[in-house]
Amino acid sequence: MSRLRQLSLASRLLLASLLTLAIALPLAGAGLSHYFRTTATNAFDERLDALLNVVVAGLAWEPSQQRLVHERSLGDPRFEQALSGWYWQISDGGERVLTSRSLWDQRLPVRSHREVMIRDLAGPRGTPLRVIERDIRLAPLDGPLHVSVAVSRETLDAELARFTRLVTLFLVGLGLLLLATLALQVRWGLAPLRRIQADLQQVENGDAERLDARLSPELARLARAMNGVLDRDRRLMTHARHAAGNLAHALKTPVSVLTTLADGIEEPRRTRIRDELTRIDAAVRHHLARASAAGDAGLAPRVAAGEVLTPILAGLGRLAERRGITLSHDLPVGMRVRMEAQDLQELVGNLLDNALRWAEGRVEMRGGSDAEGSWLEVEDDGPGMDEAQRQAALSRGARLDEQRPGSGLGLAIVADLVKLNGGRLELARARLGGLAVRVWLPDRPFRPAEC
């Protein structure tokens, strides 16, 4: 039952059509076969009745020889051919028996009956026969005479079998034709839904901003409603980013003022106040960074990594020079990442800032793309982390900024951004000797099912 619930709309419609055809066509075939069998058998029996009447009409009693004679031909040469399957017989139940030449030395079983009776029986050589028989009276005989006409059923059975084969082939062909027609109808009928699905996938992958509403009246309203939801979500995300930025600026000045005022307070209260202000500043920056990136990753466009990261790499390059650290980067030309430009700058800026804080003389950044997404890797030649520290840093619910004293919020913000965009974050031992941080971001966050 769970598998049936997971079927696509097209599969459900085709399955329903297949079940309907599987029930309707056999019933139609059975009805046609029954009708033809009844009609053909009745026609066959009417011919037997006509032959019986001819046999009865040609029957006579010859007084001079005191015997029965048959004076009329039935007009079919098969009654003259030995064991041809076409027979007639006249019997009084005793020694008087008159038969067609085709019956040769064989005899048909006698079953007395005043009315006409039709039945099937096995004749000479096991041939299936259709027999019509009745009792008649002929003067001057005292007892009744039993008249039988038997004809092989092989012709009738062959005709019935041929009709059954033709009906079966016809219904199978009709079923395949109807199924193909229904499949085309389902495909044509669901084409607008596939268009909506393709538009949604483009929106989710950042290749489009709205759905095409040029659809049938039923679906155009749905597309317009979804476009309204998308527009409202974008306005909310933009408002949230602006609100987070305004809040950051609003809090930055009071914290700076309090830090300056703390310089006029005597020790040890000054140190304690400055520590608390530092904690407040770190917590505010951490949560504001998360809030500013809390958009819908599924709606993020693909951005050119080189163009977006140019100002970040230039600014951090100058910072690295002042610290005596060599910062190198290698990003493929034309590399595109499915991520908001602001979030990508935030992610790379925090990775490089963290690496520059711990590096002794060198930081390297590389990037690339594969069939499923894009990856970025930052290495430094600092002290790095051992295996236990890396596992603890990546454990579920761990705060990366607390795994090592003084490491700041960089990795914590990176982890939030990667998780928001459906990617993966890996920590390893760098080739330079320090920490290697590898980020993988998927190219397509959603893979909708087929209609």
Side-chain angles (χ1 to χ4, degrees), residues 66-94:
Q66 296 292 306
R67 67 185 180 90
L68 293 170
V69 295
H70 194 271
E71 301 174 343
R72 183 176 297 182
S73 172
L74 272 66
D76 195 315
R78 286 174 288 188
F79 285 105
E80 305 297 326
Q81 300 172 7
L83 304 177
S84 64
W86 289 62
Y87 314 114
W88 58 263
Q89 174 181 289
I90 303 172
S91 172
D92 63 355

Short mmCIF file of all heavy atoms in Angstrom, two decimals, residues 66-94:
data_model
loop_
_atom_site.label_atom_id
_atom_site.label_comp_id
_atom_site.label_asym_id
_atom_site.label_seq_id
_atom_site.Cartn_x
_atom_site.Cartn_y
_atom_site.Cartn_z
N GLN A 66 -41.16 -56.74 -47.27
CA GLN A 66 -41.31 -56.58 -45.82
C GLN A 66 -40.04 -55.96 -45.19
O GLN A 66 -39.47 -56.45 -44.22
CB GLN A 66 -41.61 -57.95 -45.15
CG GLN A 66 -42.92 -58.55 -45.57
CD GLN A 66 -44.09 -57.74 -45.03
OE1 GLN A 66 -44.18 -57.49 -43.83
NE2 GLN A 66 -44.99 -57.32 -45.93
N ARG A 67 -39.67 -54.83 -45.76
CA ARG A 67 -38.48 -54.16 -45.22
C ARG A 67 -38.59 -52.66 -45.39
O ARG A 67 -39.39 -52.18 -46.22
CB ARG A 67 -37.22 -54.70 -45.88
CG ARG A 67 -37.09 -54.36 -47.35
CD ARG A 67 -35.87 -55.02 -47.95
NE ARG A 67 -35.74 -54.69 -49.38
CZ ARG A 67 -35.07 -53.64 -49.85
NH1 ARG A 67 -34.45 -52.81 -49.01
NH2 ARG A 67 -35.00 -53.42 -51.15
N LEU A 68 -37.74 -51.98 -44.62
CA LEU A 68 -37.66 -50.52 -44.71
C LEU A 68 -36.74 -50.12 -45.84
O LEU A 68 -35.70 -50.75 -46.07
CB LEU A 68 -37.14 -49.92 -43.39
CG LEU A 68 -38.04 -50.04 -42.16
CD1 LEU A 68 -37.28 -49.62 -40.91
CD2 LEU A 68 -39.31 -49.20 -42.32
N VAL A 69 -37.10 -49.06 -46.53
CA VAL A 69 -36.24 -48.52 -47.58
C VAL A 69 -36.20 -47.00 -47.43
O VAL A 69 -37.10 -46.39 -46.86
CB VAL A 69 -36.78 -48.90 -48.98
CG1 VAL A 69 -36.70 -50.40 -49.20
CG2 VAL A 69 -38.19 -48.39 -49.19
N HIS A 70 -35.11 -46.44 -47.95
CA HIS A 70 -34.96 -44.99 -47.97
C HIS A 70 -34.82 -44.56 -49.41
O HIS A 70 -33.88 -44.95 -50.10
CB HIS A 70 -33.74 -44.54 -47.15
CG HIS A 70 -33.73 -43.07 -46.87
ND1 HIS A 70 -33.17 -42.16 -47.72
CD2 HIS A 70 -34.27 -42.36 -45.84
CE1 HIS A 70 -33.31 -40.94 -47.21
NE2 HIS A 70 -33.99 -41.05 -46.05
N GLU A 71 -35.75 -43.76 -49.87
CA GLU A 71 -35.86 -43.48 -51.29
C GLU A 71 -35.37 -42.09 -51.69
O GLU A 71 -35.54 -41.66 -52.82
CB GLU A 71 -37.35 -43.62 -51.70
CG GLU A 71 -37.91 -44.99 -51.44
CD GLU A 71 -39.40 -45.05 -51.74
OE1 GLU A 71 -40.01 -43.94 -51.82
OE2 GLU A 71 -39.93 -46.15 -51.87
N ARG A 72 -34.76 -41.33 -50.80
CA ARG A 72 -34.36 -39.96 -51.13
C ARG A 72 -32.92 -39.71 -50.71
O ARG A 72 -32.51 -40.10 -49.61
CB ARG A 72 -35.29 -38.96 -50.44
CG ARG A 72 -35.00 -37.49 -50.78
CD ARG A 72 -36.02 -36.58 -50.16
NE ARG A 72 -37.37 -36.86 -50.70
CZ ARG A 72 -38.44 -36.17 -50.34
NH1 ARG A 72 -38.34 -35.19 -49.45
NH2 ARG A 72 -39.62 -36.47 -50.86
N SER A 73 -32.16 -39.04 -51.55
CA SER A 73 -30.78 -38.69 -51.23
C SER A 73 -30.75 -37.41 -50.40
O SER A 73 -31.56 -36.50 -50.61
CB SER A 73 -29.96 -38.50 -52.52
OG SER A 73 -28.69 -37.99 -52.21
N LEU A 74 -29.80 -37.34 -49.48
CA LEU A 74 -29.68 -36.14 -48.63
C LEU A 74 -28.90 -35.04 -49.33
O LEU A 74 -28.78 -33.92 -48.80
CB LEU A 74 -29.01 -36.48 -47.30
CG LEU A 74 -29.97 -36.96 -46.19
CD1 LEU A 74 -30.60 -38.30 -46.55
CD2 LEU A 74 -29.25 -37.06 -44.85
N GLY A 75 -28.35 -35.32 -50.48
CA GLY A 75 -27.68 -34.28 -51.26
C GLY A 75 -26.28 -33.94 -50.80
O GLY A 75 -25.72 -32.93 -51.22
N ASP A 76 -25.71 -34.73 -49.91
CA ASP A 76 -24.34 -34.48 -49.45
C ASP A 76 -23.54 -35.76 -49.63
O ASP A 76 -23.88 -36.79 -49.03
CB ASP A 76 -24.33 -34.04 -47.98
CG ASP A 76 -23.00 -33.42 -47.57
OD1 ASP A 76 -21.94 -33.99 -47.92
OD2 ASP A 76 -23.00 -32.39 -46.87
N PRO A 77 -22.47 -35.75 -50.44
CA PRO A 77 -21.73 -36.99 -50.70
C PRO A 77 -21.05 -37.57 -49.48
O PRO A 77 -20.66 -38.73 -49.48
CB PRO A 77 -20.70 -36.56 -51.76
CG PRO A 77 -20.56 -35.08 -51.58
CD PRO A 77 -21.92 -34.60 -51.15
N ARG A 78 -20.91 -36.78 -48.42
CA ARG A 78 -20.24 -37.33 -47.23
C ARG A 78 -21.07 -38.41 -46.56
O ARG A 78 -20.53 -39.22 -45.80
CB ARG A 78 -19.95 -36.19 -46.24
CG ARG A 78 -18.80 -35.31 -46.69
CD ARG A 78 -18.61 -34.11 -45.79
NE ARG A 78 -19.67 -33.12 -45.98
CZ ARG A 78 -19.66 -31.91 -45.44
NH1 ARG A 78 -18.63 -31.55 -44.67
NH2 ARG A 78 -20.66 -31.08 -45.66
N PHE A 79 -22.38 -38.45 -46.84
CA PHE A 79 -23.19 -39.53 -46.31
C PHE A 79 -22.91 -40.85 -47.04
O PHE A 79 -23.33 -41.91 -46.59
CB PHE A 79 -24.69 -39.19 -46.42
CG PHE A 79 -25.14 -38.20 -45.38
CD1 PHE A 79 -25.38 -36.88 -45.73
CD2 PHE A 79 -25.31 -38.58 -44.06
CE1 PHE A 79 -25.80 -35.96 -44.78
CE2 PHE A 79 -25.74 -37.66 -43.11
CZ PHE A 79 -25.97 -36.34 -43.46
N GLU A 80 -22.19 -40.77 -48.19
CA GLU A 80 -21.85 -41.98 -48.96
C GLU A 80 -20.42 -42.44 -48.68
O GLU A 80 -20.06 -43.57 -49.05
CB GLU A 80 -22.03 -41.70 -50.45
CG GLU A 80 -23.41 -41.18 -50.85
CD GLU A 80 -24.49 -42.19 -50.54
OE1 GLU A 80 -24.23 -43.41 -50.65
OE2 GLU A 80 -25.61 -41.77 -50.20
N GLN A 81 -19.59 -41.59 -48.09
CA GLN A 81 -18.19 -41.94 -47.83
C GLN A 81 -18.09 -42.65 -46.48
O GLN A 81 -18.66 -42.20 -45.48
CB GLN A 81 -17.32 -40.68 -47.81
CG GLN A 81 -17.34 -39.91 -49.13
CD GLN A 81 -16.63 -38.59 -49.02
OE1 GLN A 81 -16.01 -38.30 -48.00
NE2 GLN A 81 -16.70 -37.78 -50.07
N ALA A 82 -17.35 -43.75 -46.49
CA ALA A 82 -17.25 -44.57 -45.28
C ALA A 82 -16.59 -43.81 -44.15
O ALA A 82 -15.52 -43.20 -44.33
CB ALA A 82 -16.46 -45.85 -45.58
N LEU A 83 -17.24 -43.83 -43.01
CA LEU A 83 -16.72 -43.23 -41.77
C LEU A 83 -16.29 -41.79 -41.98
O LEU A 83 -15.25 -41.34 -41.49
CB LEU A 83 -15.55 -44.06 -41.22
CG LEU A 83 -15.84 -45.55 -40.96
CD1 LEU A 83 -14.59 -46.27 -40.48
CD2 LEU A 83 -16.97 -45.72 -39.95
N SER A 84 -17.12 -41.05 -42.71
CA SER A 84 -16.80 -39.64 -42.99
C SER A 84 -17.16 -38.71 -41.84
O SER A 84 -16.78 -37.55 -41.83
CB SER A 84 -17.55 -39.19 -44.25
OG SER A 84 -18.96 -39.25 -44.02
N GLY A 85 -17.96 -39.21 -40.88
CA GLY A 85 -18.42 -38.37 -39.79
C GLY A 85 -19.80 -37.82 -40.03
O GLY A 85 -20.34 -37.12 -39.16
N TRP A 86 -20.41 -38.11 -41.18
CA TRP A 86 -21.77 -37.70 -41.50
C TRP A 86 -22.61 -38.97 -41.66
O TRP A 86 -22.42 -39.75 -42.60
CB TRP A 86 -21.80 -36.87 -42.79
CG TRP A 86 -21.18 -35.51 -42.62
CD1 TRP A 86 -19.91 -35.23 -42.29
CD2 TRP A 86 -21.85 -34.27 -42.78
NE1 TRP A 86 -19.69 -33.90 -42.22
CE2 TRP A 86 -20.88 -33.25 -42.52
CE3 TRP A 86 -23.14 -33.88 -43.11
CZ2 TRP A 86 -21.18 -31.91 -42.57
CZ3 TRP A 86 -23.44 -32.54 -43.19
CH2 TRP A 86 -22.48 -31.55 -42.91
N TYR A 87 -23.56 -39.18 -40.71
CA TYR A 87 -24.30 -40.44 -40.68
C TYR A 87 -25.80 -40.19 -40.46
O TYR A 87 -26.18 -39.16 -39.87
CB TYR A 87 -23.79 -41.34 -39.54
CG TYR A 87 -22.28 -41.44 -39.43
CD1 TYR A 87 -21.61 -40.91 -38.32
CD2 TYR A 87 -21.54 -42.06 -40.42
CE1 TYR A 87 -20.25 -41.00 -38.22
CE2 TYR A 87 -20.16 -42.16 -40.32
CZ TYR A 87 -19.52 -41.62 -39.22
OH TYR A 87 -18.15 -41.72 -39.12
N TRP A 88 -26.59 -41.20 -40.92
CA TRP A 88 -27.98 -41.28 -40.49
C TRP A 88 -28.30 -42.74 -40.24
O TRP A 88 -27.69 -43.64 -40.79
CB TRP A 88 -28.95 -40.64 -41.47
CG TRP A 88 -28.95 -41.21 -42.87
CD1 TRP A 88 -28.31 -40.75 -43.96
CD2 TRP A 88 -29.68 -42.38 -43.32
NE1 TRP A 88 -28.53 -41.49 -45.08
CE2 TRP A 88 -29.40 -42.52 -44.69
CE3 TRP A 88 -30.54 -43.29 -42.70
CZ2 TRP A 88 -29.93 -43.54 -45.45
CZ3 TRP A 88 -31.08 -44.31 -43.47
CH2 TRP A 88 -30.78 -44.44 -44.83
N GLN A 89 -29.28 -42.92 -39.38
CA GLN A 89 -29.64 -44.30 -38.98
C GLN A 89 -31.13 -44.35 -38.63
O GLN A 89 -31.64 -43.41 -37.99
CB GLN A 89 -28.78 -44.74 -37.79
CG GLN A 89 -29.17 -46.09 -37.20
CD GLN A 89 -28.30 -46.46 -36.02
OE1 GLN A 89 -27.12 -46.77 -36.19
NE2 GLN A 89 -28.86 -46.42 -34.83
N ILE A 90 -31.79 -45.45 -39.07
CA ILE A 90 -33.19 -45.71 -38.74
C ILE A 90 -33.25 -47.09 -38.11
O ILE A 90 -32.76 -48.07 -38.69
CB ILE A 90 -34.08 -45.66 -39.98
CG1 ILE A 90 -33.94 -44.28 -40.67
CG2 ILE A 90 -35.54 -45.93 -39.62
CD1 ILE A 90 -34.64 -44.22 -42.00
N SER A 91 -33.85 -47.17 -36.93
CA SER A 91 -33.89 -48.45 -36.21
C SER A 91 -35.23 -48.60 -35.50
O SER A 91 -35.81 -47.60 -35.03
CB SER A 91 -32.74 -48.51 -35.20
OG SER A 91 -32.86 -49.64 -34.36
N ASP A 92 -35.71 -49.87 -35.46
CA ASP A 92 -36.92 -50.14 -34.69
C ASP A 92 -36.61 -50.71 -33.33
O ASP A 92 -37.50 -51.20 -32.62
CB ASP A 92 -37.84 -51.09 -35.45
CG ASP A 92 -37.19 -52.46 -35.67
OD1 ASP A 92 -35.99 -52.61 -35.31
OD2 ASP A 92 -37.88 -53.36 -36.18
N GLY A 93 -35.36 -50.70 -32.97
CA GLY A 93 -34.94 -51.23 -31.68
C GLY A 93 -34.67 -52.72 -31.73
O GLY A 93 -34.25 -53.31 -30.73
N GLY A 94 -34.88 -53.32 -32.90
CA GLY A 94 -34.65 -54.77 -33.04
C GLY A 94 -33.71 -55.03 -34.20
O GLY A 94 -32.64 -54.45 -34.34
#
